[in-house]
Amino acid sequence: MIQVASFPKTQILPASLQSLIHRIQGQIQLTPKTIRDCLLAANINPQDLLPWADFAHPMADCYGRNLVYDGGFFEIMVMSWRDRDYSAIHDHGATEWGAVQCFGPAEHYTYQLEEGILSTLEKCDFVPGEVKLVDRSLIHQMGNLSGECFLSLHVYGFNLPEGTITGNARLFDLWEGCIQHTDGGVFFGLPEAQINDRIYGLQGDRETTLRHHQQMRDRLLQILAVRSDSQLTLKLAALEKAIAFLK
């Protein structure tokens, strides 16, 4: 396991992250493509991100997440991915532009929502070091099945303040058949306290629903391996039946 240092103060951020911040602040027009260019030009090394690594995150959290910098109209975050970590399907709330640089071979799916039906658009996995664009239309999902731990760096921003940048993000729960709104991590099986509201009526095509249920099942198995929970055990049994039916 990588040993994680304490958080540095903003003024002593690694030079690469200071460069990224200055480049973003110096842009006349901010778009996903300009953020990607800023990330690549900053030449960030994953070692620069270790102070924000959280590979010891709770099993109920589907990945680790830590805020690096809050620039008012943009924020920079580091996500930590253990083997078998997988986010739920989600968007990014009020985010208008951004980008993600992943320092490992993350699995990556994009989705579309049309007339209440969620379907898979594309499987477009990360090559280590690659940067992918984020905009308000993006519905996606990241995960780690590599057998190794790695980090990713996320930049999200907006032009007109609308509360928190990634606040009230949509999480697409095909087990409950609803869209959940949350201000926190986009995890499978969010606690009630982290769900702002639900909009029911969500459905998925067979491929998307099967993958979603399998990923949710895998997370429940990981949780139940470290603690007992009768409600999760019942949910796991129901998921297994639904998966068998979808197959």
Side-chain angles (χ1 to χ4, degrees):
M1 181 69 67
I2 296 175
Q3 295 298 311
V4 180
S6 59
F7 286 79
K9 296 180 180 179
T10 302
Q11 63 266 31
I12 56 171
L13 288 172
S16 62
L17 291 177
Q18 292 190 45
S19 173
L20 173 62
I21 291 165
H22 293 153
R23 289 175 187 276
I24 294 172
Q25 291 173 333
Q27 294 297 314
I28 296 174
Q29 184 176 14
L30 288 161
T31 67
K33 290 182 179 179
T34 59
I35 298 301
R36 178 184 60 191
D37 292 344
C38 289
L39 274 166
L40 292 173
N43 196 28
I44 295 165
N45 187 298
Q47 296 296 316
D48 298 337
L49 309 182
L50 287 180
W52 298 274
D54 182 16
F55 294 116
H57 60 80
M59 193 61 71
D61 293 356
C62 295
Y63 53 90
R65 63 195 300 267
N66 275 313
L67 180 67
V68 175
Y69 183 80
D70 183 349
F73 65 95
F74 72 97
E75 63 185 26
I76 300 172
M77 301 187 74
V78 167
M79 310 302 188
S80 306
W81 304 89
R82 295 190 302 232
D83 183 42
R84 297 172 64 199
D85 278 353
Y86 233 104
S87 77
I89 303 169
H90 64 281
D91 70 7
H92 299 90
T95 297
E96 293 181 272
W97 42 259
V100 175
Q101 184 169 25
C102 190
F103 297 97
E107 289 202 346
H108 184 246
Y109 291 91
T110 59
Y111 299 87
Q112 65 179 0
L113 180 67
E114 291 187 348
E115 298 182 353
I117 306 295
L118 188 71
S119 59
T120 304
L121 276 176
E122 183 182 14
K123 185 175 188 288
C124 44
D125 296 343
F126 279 88
V127 175
E130 182 183 2
V131 178
K132 293 187 183 293
L133 308 183
V134 175
D135 62 23
R136 185 160 285 182
S137 69
L138 178 67
I139 301 172
H140 78 147
Q141 183 182 39
M142 291 177 61
N144 177 15
L145 297 179
S146 71
E148 304 291 336
C149 295
F150 55 75
L151 300 172
S152 57
L153 184 65
H154 302 239
V155 180
Y156 305 122
F158 51 24
N159 296 318
L160 296 174
E162 299 181 32
T164 57
I165 294 170
T166 56
N168 220 28
R170 294 185 297 174
L171 185 156
F172 298 85
D173 188 325
L174 290 169
W175 178 250
E176 286 194 3
C178 70
I179 298 173
Q180 302 168 356
H181 289 87
T182 182
D183 297 326
V186 283
F187 306 146
F188 286 105
L190 282 179
E192 285 299 317
Q194 295 181 30
I195 300 174
N196 299 337
D197 60 35
R198 288 178 170 87
I199 299 174
Y200 285 94
L202 178 69
Q203 299 180 54
D205 64 17
R206 178 184 169 279
E207 172 196 355
T208 303
T209 302
L210 176 59
R211 185 188 317 115
H212 173 275
H213 288 6
Q214 289 171 329
Q215 292 166 347
M216 181 176 283
R217 174 198 61 191
D218 291 347
R219 179 53 51 173
L220 292 184
L221 285 169
Q222 291 178 70
I223 295 171
L224 290 169
V226 298
R227 66 177 171 88
S228 298
D229 187 308
S230 58
Q231 289 188 334
L232 291 186
T233 300
L234 291 172
K235 184 175 182 178
L236 176 61
L239 272 167
E240 293 283 16
K241 290 181 180 179
I243 289 168
F245 176 79
L246 287 166
K247 286 182 175 180

